[in-house]
């Protein structure tokens, strides 16, 4: 049996996951998959960085450096397309991952992003896929940057496979696969693993979505609905599919008491930490050891 750890995107909500993971006692997964902040976490674990070290990074200044609002003249430009630039993000990712390429990561890794030019998913992995290039020649830090470049929060990530390659405009994998479980399973199959030999621990950074009543007074009222469809919709649908594919070889970790709010709202961090620090890990441990 081969195990897959799949971590959703979710901005600052990833801090809770980083604090929860050490409870699994350094469990060594066979495959790692991540989207957005989940890509940072998955790439760290797949690179051999210990969960306690990752927890230290996320409890340190890494989140504030990622969500650093640029000053003058950026903040005075009414035409800017994002709340944050990615200059500090690039520095952080360079410090964490250096010049490592995706293909050179220690453990099998799958990172989900979106290709704006081709209007389709972009999956980075160090697994040699049968049907398409594994995209393993990209720098790991560029793959993570692409996956976490959420629309309106960060600018489009302009990256190249190598110095002479054309620029690609990539963005947040959350628009197509905020839960990277399916991408992980597909890559494992490409690696010769049979479905019946796959076990997936999927971690929902934002927890279970809360019900809300729909209030539609104008066309503008569709905006929050569309946002829900793009984010919660693809996560819920992926979980639905994976559960039916793997059945009892699938475990979804999703605390139900996480606060609502923006993924860059630092006032939520204490509550996020509290919920995850008290969230029962024994079920996940039992699942992995079964």
């Amino acid at each position: 049996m081969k195990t897959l750890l799949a971590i959703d995107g979710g901005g600052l909500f990833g801090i809770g996951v980083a604090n929860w993971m050490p409870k699994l006692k350094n469990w060594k997964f066979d495959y790692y998959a991540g989207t957005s902040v989940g890509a940072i976490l998955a790439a760290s674990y797949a690179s051999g960085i210990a969960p306690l070290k990752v927890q230290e990074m996320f409890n340190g200044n890494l989140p504030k450096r990622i969500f650093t609002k640029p000053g003058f003249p950026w903040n005075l430009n009414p035409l800017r397309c994002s709340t944050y630039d990615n200059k500090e993000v690039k520095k952080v990712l360079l410090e964490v991952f250096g010049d490592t390429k995706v293909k050179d990561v220690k453990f099998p890794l799958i990172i989900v992003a979106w290709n704006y030019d081709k209007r389709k998913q972009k999956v980075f992995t160090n697994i040699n896929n049968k049907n398409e290039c594994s995209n393993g020649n990209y720098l790991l830090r560029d793959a993570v940057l692409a996956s976490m470049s959420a629309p309106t929060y960060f600018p489009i990530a302009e990256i190249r496979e190598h110095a002479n390659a054309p620029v690609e405009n990539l963005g947040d994998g959350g628009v197509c696969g905020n839960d990277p479980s399916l991408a992980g399973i597909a890559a494992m199959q490409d690696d010769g693993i049979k479905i019946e030999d796959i076990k997936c621990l999927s971690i929902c950074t934002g927890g279970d979505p809360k019900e809300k009543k729909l209030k539609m007074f104008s066309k503008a009222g569709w905006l929050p609905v569309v946002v829900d469809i793009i984010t919660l919709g693809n996560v819920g649908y992926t979980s639905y599919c994976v559960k039916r594919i793997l059945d009892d070889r699938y475990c979804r970790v999703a605390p139900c008491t996480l606060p609502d709010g923006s993924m860059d709202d630092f006032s939520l961090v204490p509550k996020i930490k509290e919920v995850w620090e008290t969230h029962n890990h024994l079920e996940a441990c039992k699942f992995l050891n079964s």
Side-chain angles (χ1 to χ4, degrees):
M1 190 69 64
K2 298 295 183 180
T3 56
L4 165 68
L5 174 66
I7 309 176
D8 290 7
L12 290 176
F13 286 84
I15 293 176
V17 178
N19 278 275
W20 185 80
M21 282 298 296
K23 293 185 176 184
L24 300 185
K25 305 299 181 185
N26 292 315
W27 178 275
K28 297 293 191 250
F29 291 86
D30 298 298
Y31 294 79
Y32 296 85
T35 297
S36 198
V37 70
I40 303 177
L41 290 162
S44 297
Y45 300 136
S47 296
I49 303 176
L52 282 174
K53 177 63 178 178
V54 176
Q55 179 184 31
E56 181 183 319
M57 287 163 43
F58 273 77
N59 285 339
N61 64 359
L62 182 145
K64 288 189 176 180
R65 289 182 64 189
I66 289 175
F67 290 106
T68 297
K69 288 185 178 180
F72 180 85
W74 177 282
N75 57 351
L76 298 181
N77 181 6
L79 299 178
R80 66 182 187 273
C81 297
S82 59
T83 304
Y84 308 93
D85 64 9
N86 56 21
K87 292 180 180 178
E88 193 64 23
V89 174
K90 290 179 178 178
K91 293 179 183 178
V92 170
L93 297 178
L94 175 60
E95 291 169 12
V96 177
F97 302 116
D99 292 326
T100 299
K101 290 187 175 181
V102 173
K103 66 181 181 181
D104 297 323
V105 175
K106 186 175 181 179
F107 298 103
L109 173 66
I110 302 95
I111 292 175
V112 181
W114 178 256
N115 189 318
Y116 287 108
D117 299 322
K118 296 183 178 181
R119 297 192 295 177
K120 60 183 290 188
Q121 74 285 344
K122 178 87 171 183
V123 179
F124 300 91
T125 176
N126 51 1
I127 298 168
N128 291 319
N129 294 338
K130 297 176 181 177
N131 299 321
E132 59 180 299
C133 174
S134 69
N135 296 315
N137 284 319
Y138 290 83
L139 289 169
L140 178 59
R141 66 174 189 262
D142 283 347
V144 174
L145 175 67
S147 185
M148 62 174 287
S149 294
T152 75
Y153 288 94
F154 295 102
I156 292 173
E158 299 177 347
I159 71 172
R160 302 173 187 263
E161 185 173 8
H162 52 80
N164 298 320
V167 171
E168 298 176 64
N169 295 296
L170 304 181
D172 184 15
V175 303
C176 60
N178 204 48
D179 174 356
S181 299
L182 275 179
I185 291 169
M188 292 174 76
Q189 285 190 290
D190 286 336
D191 206 24
I193 311 300
K194 296 179 180 179
I195 282 291
E196 58 266 29
D197 294 327
I198 296 175
K199 180 183 288 189
C200 176
L201 180 68
S202 175
I203 301 185
C204 179
T205 56
D208 280 333
K210 299 174 178 63
E211 290 187 13
K212 66 179 181 183
K213 293 185 177 180
L214 180 64
K215 295 181 180 180
M216 194 69 69
F217 301 111
S218 67
K219 288 184 179 180
W222 277 103
L223 182 59
V225 178
V226 171
V227 171
D228 277 353
I229 293 171
I230 292 174
T231 55
L232 299 176
N234 77 56
V235 167
Y237 180 68
T238 296
S239 298
Y240 172 87
C241 292
V242 175
K243 175 62 177 175
R244 276 142 190 84
I245 293 170
L246 299 184
D247 195 20
D248 61 354
R249 288 173 285 109
Y250 173 73
C251 177
R252 180 77 165 159
V253 179
C256 59
T257 55
L258 283 167
D260 284 325
S262 173
M263 70 177 191
D264 63 342
D265 185 351
F266 279 90
S267 70
L268 302 177
V269 171
K271 180 62 176 177
I272 292 170
K273 284 185 177 181
E274 177 188 340
V275 171
W276 276 101
E277 286 171 357
T278 57
H279 186 68
N280 184 15
H281 65 284
L282 297 179
E283 181 181 350
C285 290
K286 182 179 178 180
F287 168 77
L288 292 170
N289 286 297
S290 63

